[in-house]
Amino acid sequence: MAGNQPIYILPEGTDRFLGRDALRLNIMAGKALAETIRTTLGPKGMDKMLVDSFGDVVVTNDGATILKEMDIVHPTARMLVEIAKKQEDNVGDGTTTAIIIAGELLKKAEELIEMGIHPSTIVIGYQLALAKALDKLFDISISASDKETLMKVAMTAMTGKGSDKAKDYLAKLIVEAVTKVANNGEVDKKDINIQRITGGTVDDSFLVDGILIDKGKADDSMPKEIKNAKIALLKYPLEIKDLETDAKIDLTNPLQRQAFLDNEEEMIKDMVDKVIESGANVLFAQKGIDDLALHYLTRAGILAIKRTKKSDMQRLVKATGAQIVTNVEDLTADQLGEAGIVYEKKIFDQLMVFVEETPNAKAASIVLRGSTRHITGQIERALEDALGVVAATIEDDAVVIGGGAPEIAMSKALKEYAETIPGREQLAITAFAEAIEVVPRTLAENAGLDSIDSIVDLIAAHEDSEYMGLDVFSGKVVDMKAEGVVEPQRVKKQAIRYATEATEMVLRIDDLVAARGALESTGSEDDGMDHSGMPGTYNGMGQGGLPPMM
Ligand code: ADP
Ligand code: MG
């Protein structure tokens, strides 16, 4: 009777869930994650206050930031966090949308499974639906990337993100910055640097036509300004290593010590001479510069900056045409870059070095001002979203209308399409159609409106025009194109794609093997509360010192 003997193939201390159980657990985790952030969707979305274990506070309604700050441990929830990250990297906006669509697709899948439909049938139906939904999305897209459209796109992304008072002004800065660095319709977002300086108000923010380094020159007596700059970028320390640790000589012997110091002095002088001989009058060093070297550099009239950030060095390469030199011995005139002017200036109480009029004009910096660090932090996140959407609009030359309009259009198209599909896949397509309505539904809920009424009104209004969306401020269904609520097509396209991908991944899992305890949270173990019926808090989230969220 060996058949009755259980065979252990897994180590002790492993939890295993099979088939339905595995699926149910995973779907629960995905839904819970979506529940957690759904209240932040749209201009009327609420903020979340996140406190980490060091007591640092972040107040935000930015989906990507929330997911980053929350220490999510459940593996399935983490898979969804991954799609949010992909959305953030690829588009720079629409993370909340991607997650709540995924949550809804999972919820609908669960209902279908309860009805006895196999997960792989659902996957096929969802794939058919995705293709059809994207067809419709492309259909209703508008080809536009003129400045006026870019402004609207930037403002839509910033609405409700704590920057509303200065939205027009900030949108203009973003559009100017992005159009400046755009190169044959491509935008490298790294060419734009946002520099936060606390102090002053948001209206004091401004655009720098070039590169901004957030530190002053290395020595006070160096020139404050250099015209026709010849710029050297050096990734080599202009200093001799620490005397005490490096030296093998007897430092207590005064003669030897003097000889050593003379030698060191000589080496430093040689290094600086290399810089001078190259013809450079501005030096950005990625490493340190010794006091003595500073003295020689100052005497030669060179403006030097030490410990320049790597990202700034890369921007300088691109904009000035300089090459980063790793050994000062190799520095020659060929490797120098150029700029019309390099100067130091104090903004509020922070010294900065500006590099302007560069030959390859592919650099822009935005100096963001605000009264507190929290305010500039919140606005910076809004600016980053705006940056992402403006870049995506320039690159794709395609926008859609916001406020739930495209979701309703896609949903309607899918419901019609479903009727043409025989078999059980039809049910999955209908489910997909209903799932993407979660976007307008949530916009309505977050605006304190009746979501059922809003959806009914939207569907009716779409008989006339596919640009009808929900204006969350008036609570009415209006032509959102006329309202100027415009988003890049890419935001919607990728959100739906990534959401479907993640759902499929979850639906294909029928065996969940986990180290014991891996699916449990550490934070909510003994708080004496029953979380079972509470959205957003299940055993696997709300960890890392964060209070349970609703
Ligand atoms: P995400 O992280 O997904 O970008 P947001 O909180 O930025 O989430 O909300 C985006 C949603 O808000 C989009 O569906 C967009 O169309 C909608 N939206 C933006 N502005 C308005 C507006 N004025 N009225 C209604 N909906 C809007
Ligand atoms: Mg957004």
Side-chain angles (χ1 to χ4, degrees):
M1 288 299 281
N4 285 341
Q5 201 78 3
I7 301 170
Y8 296 104
I9 55 166
L10 292 168
E12 242 183 284
T14 314
D15 285 327
R16 182 167 191 191
F17 304 91
L18 277 171
R20 267 317 145 73
D21 288 340
L23 200 50
R24 198 171 297 129
L25 268 174
N26 285 333
I27 288 178
M28 203 171 77
K31 282 193 323 193
L33 181 71
E35 269 319 309
T36 313
I37 63 167
R38 64 177 292 155
T39 55
T40 66
L41 186 80
K44 291 252 178 160
M46 300 292 277
D47 290 345
K48 288 201 183 292
M49 182 173 177
L50 305 163
V51 188
D52 69 13
S53 43
F54 301 104
D56 277 343
V57 176
V58 178
V59 174
T60 181
N61 63 16
D62 185 65
T65 307
I66 296 167
L67 297 174
K68 217 175 330 174
E69 298 284 330
M70 283 172 62
D71 204 355
I72 290 164
V73 294
H74 193 286
T76 312
R78 279 229 302 267
M79 273 164 40
L80 294 194
V81 174
E82 278 301 305
I83 70 164
K85 201 180 163 303
K86 275 204 281 185
Q87 177 83 13
E88 177 77 2
D89 294 345
N90 187 298
V91 197
D93 192 23
T95 45
T96 316
T97 304
I99 296 281
I100 65 169
I101 292 177
E104 203 65 15
L105 286 173
L106 287 170
K107 189 166 141 195
K108 292 282 173 194
E110 191 178 35
E111 288 168 18
L112 294 175
I113 292 165
E114 295 289 310
M115 287 164 59
I117 296 173
H118 196 271
S120 41
T121 309
I122 303 174
V123 168
I124 294 170
Y126 276 7
Q127 281 171 348
L128 289 171
L130 172 66
K132 191 73 193 172
L134 292 181
D135 277 353
K136 185 66 193 176
L137 186 71
F138 298 154
D139 227 35
I140 56 170
S141 296
I142 302 165
S143 159
S145 55
D146 53 289
K147 276 226 165 141
E148 203 191 332
T149 306
L150 295 178
M151 279 292 289
K152 287 179 189 163
V153 165
M155 292 211 274
T156 300
M158 285 195 287
T159 309
K161 302 273 176 200
S163 60
D164 291 65
K165 266 181 281 166
K167 207 169 62 174
D168 281 53
Y169 181 59
L170 292 171
K172 222 167 103 203
L173 293 185
I174 287 288
V175 170
E176 265 177 51
V178 180
T179 44
K180 182 165 186 296
V181 304
N183 194 357
N184 294 325
E186 299 276 320
V187 179
D188 185 350
K189 283 182 265 181
K190 286 200 285 296
D191 290 342
I192 298 170
N193 180 19
I194 300 175
Q195 194 73 54
R196 284 156 60 178
I197 300 183
T198 307
T201 68
V202 181
D203 306 309
D204 299 326
S205 305
F206 60 95
L207 184 71
V208 178
D209 194 354
I211 295 173
L212 190 66
I213 313 288
D214 65 343
K215 58 179 69 176
K217 51 194 163 73
D219 191 291
D220 259 358
S221 10
M222 285 176 169
K224 255 186 149 17
E225 176 186 302
I226 303 262
K227 290 215 168 100
N228 298 319
K230 298 267 175 287
I231 300 169
L233 303 180
L234 194 58
K235 191 180 167 183
Y236 188 87
L238 287 184
E239 56 194 358
I240 306 286
K241 284 226 192 82
D242 195 353
L243 260 180
E244 314 294 331
T245 55
D246 233 14
K248 284 222 170 61
I249 51 155
D250 179 7
L251 290 173
T252 53
N253 177 334
L255 267 178
Q256 271 198 20
R257 186 182 161 89
Q258 193 51 49
F260 178 83
L261 289 177
D262 286 349
N263 189 26
E264 187 190 22
E265 216 169 290
E266 199 115 306
M267 284 165 77
I268 297 236
K269 187 156 189 318
D270 283 351
M271 289 198 245
V272 174
D273 280 344
K274 276 281 165 196
V275 177
I276 298 168
E277 279 162 28
S278 75
N281 50 17
V282 175
L283 168 69
F284 288 94
Q286 203 177 325
K287 306 267 160 84
I289 306 178
D290 181 285
D291 280 350
L292 189 63
L294 283 179
H295 166 75
Y296 290 131
L297 288 166
T298 306
R299 223 168 53 182
I302 294 176
L303 196 170
I305 288 91
K306 55 181 172 185
R307 303 207 179 280
T308 312
K309 270 187 273 178
K310 200 170 149 206
S311 54
D312 286 335
M313 293 289 273
Q314 272 148 4
R315 281 191 197 100
L316 286 164
V317 167
K318 228 171 152 181
T320 69
Q323 286 170 36
I324 296 178
V325 175
T326 45
N327 188 342
V328 68
E329 294 290 327
D330 303 334
L331 182 66
T332 61
D334 298 347
Q335 288 131 344
L336 301 183
E338 287 172 17
I341 185 162
V342 176
Y343 61 95
E344 185 196 63
K345 194 176 157 189
K346 198 176 203 172
I347 313 265
F348 199 57
D349 56 1
Q350 168 119 34
L351 279 171
M352 301 247 170
V353 170
F354 293 72
V355 181
E356 293 180 10
E357 297 167 25
T358 52
N360 318 327
K362 297 290 166 250
S365 310
I366 291 173
V367 176
L368 171 62
R369 309 287 308 275
S371 51
T372 71
R373 212 165 50 86
H374 286 141
I375 291 178
T376 51
Q378 204 173 33
I379 296 175
E380 184 179 14
R381 286 188 287 276
L383 284 183
E384 271 161 6
D385 285 1
L387 194 72
V389 292
V390 172
T393 308
I394 290 181
E395 290 188 345
D396 298 353
D397 192 31
V399 292
V400 295
I401 304 305
E407 285 83 3
I408 295 292
M410 286 186 280
S411 171
K412 279 189 88 164
L414 283 173
K415 284 174 190 166
E416 280 167 26
Y417 171 62
E419 284 175 18
T420 69
I421 301 294
R424 295 177 160 211
E425 286 81 6
Q426 182 188 96
L427 299 174
I429 296 170
T430 309
F432 193 106
E434 288 164 359
I436 52 181
E437 284 172 7
V438 71
V439 172
R441 202 164 62 230
T442 309
L443 287 173
E445 272 167 25
N446 291 348
L449 303 166
D450 184 303
S451 59
I452 296 175
D453 286 349
S454 297
I455 296 290
V456 170
D457 290 351
L458 277 168
I459 291 176
H462 268 239
E463 293 297 324
D464 299 330
S465 156
E466 290 182 317
Y467 298 145
M468 299 302 271
L470 185 66
D471 179 356
V472 291
F473 297 105
S474 69
K476 297 208 166 65
V477 170
V478 296
D479 183 336
M480 292 305 263
K481 187 167 183 247
E483 295 289 308
V485 177
V486 183
E487 295 178 280
Q489 179 200 69
R490 199 191 294 178
V491 170
K492 297 290 169 198
K493 181 176 76 186
Q494 299 299 37
I496 299 176
R497 264 203 194 141
Y498 292 145
T500 314
E501 259 176 41
T503 307
E504 272 179 42
M505 209 151 52
V506 173
L507 290 180
R508 286 185 200 280
I509 298 170
D510 81 335
D511 193 351
L512 175 63
V513 183
R516 189 151 296 156
L519 300 177
E520 280 157 27
S521 122
T522 50
S524 55
E525 257 164 24
D526 52 14
D527 58 3
M529 284 165 78
D530 173 19
H531 296 304
S532 49
M534 226 181 346
T537 55
Y538 65 103
N539 283 344
M541 257 173 40
Q543 190 257 17
L546 285 172
M549 280 180 203
M550 280 183 285

